[in-house]
Amino acid sequence: MRIKIGELILLLSKEESYLLEVSDKDFHTKSGVIRLGEIIGKNYGEKIKTHLGKEFTLVEPNIVDILERRIERMAQVILPKDISLIITTTGVSADSLVVDAGTGSGYTAIFLANYVKPRKVVTYEIDKRFIKLAEENIEKSGLKKYIKLKKKDVMKGIDEKNVDLVTLDMKGVEKVVKHAYKVLKPGGWLVVYSPNIEQVTSVHREIVKKNFCDVKTIENIVREWQVKKYTRPKTMGIMHTGFLTFARKVG
């Protein structure tokens, strides 16, 4: 596939990487200047050099590259380690209908939209500050046609029907469990992200009132190891971020 002006490109080397939009301008790196116009018409996988001879591979960015380098955050987001657990536990895939609330910066909606396209992720938000940021981030992601942002209070109900997955990350989330149950199709999943165990308890109390199965709460711990002269766990890492409560609608 030939690279066109305006496309996102990842410049990748062993020591450096840059995500940028292809243009006719010059791009300055610590290893020299790249004339971006020379990228136009090349194919992914080809090389380009700076004026100092440093070589970069032209790579098509994936959803993680875009989220980590291009999306702005205003509030705490559900991190990829937790979103990936949602995907693998619920089996959500292409053609799944997903409802997400609250939108926040749009991080979760964007990540999930990459997996369910050509279906949509419908995401609910009422905070005007978040709506503006989410709209900008969704535009940057390149997934706008697969995401519908609703400026509506999800506590008053969910409009969609026969939903495969409902993800909730918001205050007062226990009040939305009944709405999620109503719109989920049999076999559909509810997933609630909770920052503290007190909210987990409140959510679980509401879930057991409904006809759900496979109810479980998971804390997803990731520990990276450093492999040098001696191998040991890294001192710093992403450990506790929040709790994920899963529940599957029986019918």
Side-chain angles (χ1 to χ4, degrees):
M1 183 185 296
R2 295 197 178 278
I3 300 167
K4 300 176 183 177
I5 192 166
E7 290 184 357
L8 289 179
I9 188 79
L10 182 66
L11 303 179
L12 196 62
S13 77
K14 191 172 181 179
E15 297 81 21
E16 305 167 57
S17 62
Y18 304 95
L19 179 67
L20 48 87
E21 189 174 300
V22 178
S23 68
D24 57 0
K25 299 178 180 179
D26 289 345
F27 180 72
H28 295 260
T29 77
K30 65 181 183 181
S31 300
V33 178
I34 295 176
R35 293 178 175 83
L36 297 181
E38 296 179 2
I39 295 176
I40 301 169
K42 287 183 177 290
N43 294 306
Y44 293 112
E46 291 188 39
K47 311 285 187 180
I48 192 169
K49 292 183 178 180
T50 70
H51 80 289
L52 297 176
K54 174 68 175 181
E55 192 173 69
F56 288 87
T57 302
L58 305 177
V59 175
E60 184 175 11
N62 62 30
I63 189 62
V64 177
D65 295 319
I66 293 170
L67 285 169
E68 289 185 349
R69 300 167 184 255
R70 193 167 170 82
I71 301 305
E72 296 182 33
R73 307 179 191 179
M74 185 180 291
Q76 177 62 41
V77 300
I78 303 179
L79 294 179
K81 75 178 183 71
D82 293 319
I83 300 176
S84 61
L85 185 60
I86 293 173
I87 293 168
T88 56
T89 301
T90 64
V92 67
S93 60
D95 243 9
S96 296
L97 175 59
V98 175
V99 170
D100 166 62
T103 307
S105 61
Y107 197 97
T108 301
I110 292 168
F111 202 118
L112 291 174
N114 187 61
Y115 286 87
V116 305
K117 60 186 180 184
R119 291 294 293 276
K120 287 183 180 290
V121 173
V122 182
T123 182
Y124 286 69
E125 182 60 67
I126 58 171
D127 191 316
K128 293 180 179 179
R129 297 171 303 157
F130 292 145
I131 289 171
K132 184 177 184 299
L133 178 60
E135 288 175 335
E136 293 172 354
N137 283 338
I138 290 169
E139 183 71 38
K140 291 178 184 176
S141 74
L143 294 165
K144 184 177 180 179
K145 65 180 179 179
Y146 306 115
I147 302 172
K148 183 174 183 179
L149 175 55
K150 284 193 172 182
K151 303 166 187 178
K152 180 179 177 180
D153 187 354
V154 74
M155 289 191 183
K156 296 180 179 178
I158 299 172
D159 301 323
E160 290 63 41
K161 306 295 181 186
N162 294 315
V163 177
D164 295 280
L165 169 65
V166 175
T167 59
L168 303 174
D169 176 17
M170 52 185 287
K171 292 182 179 179
V173 67
E174 64 277 2
K175 299 176 183 177
V176 188
V177 171
K178 60 183 179 183
H179 299 311
Y181 179 83
K182 184 177 180 180
V183 303
L184 282 167
K185 70 181 185 182
W189 285 89
L190 167 65
V191 181
V192 180
Y193 180 84
S194 301
N196 55 68
I197 201 66
E198 287 77 18
Q199 188 184 76
V200 171
T201 303
S202 298
V203 167
H204 191 273
R205 189 179 300 121
E206 295 303 313
I207 285 175
V208 297
K209 295 178 183 178
K210 301 295 182 181
N211 196 15
F212 281 110
C213 66
D214 295 337
V215 181
K216 55 191 172 186
T217 296
I218 299 174
E219 180 186 23
N220 189 14
I221 301 295
V222 173
R223 183 172 68 171
E224 185 179 352
W225 286 57
Q226 69 176 37
V227 183
K228 295 182 179 178
K229 183 178 179 181
Y230 298 103
T231 303
R232 64 178 181 82
K234 283 192 173 183
T235 305
M236 302 296 290
I238 302 174
M239 300 299 284
H240 173 79
T241 47
F243 301 97
L244 290 170
T245 298
F246 294 84
R248 193 173 196 184
K249 182 175 178 178
V250 174

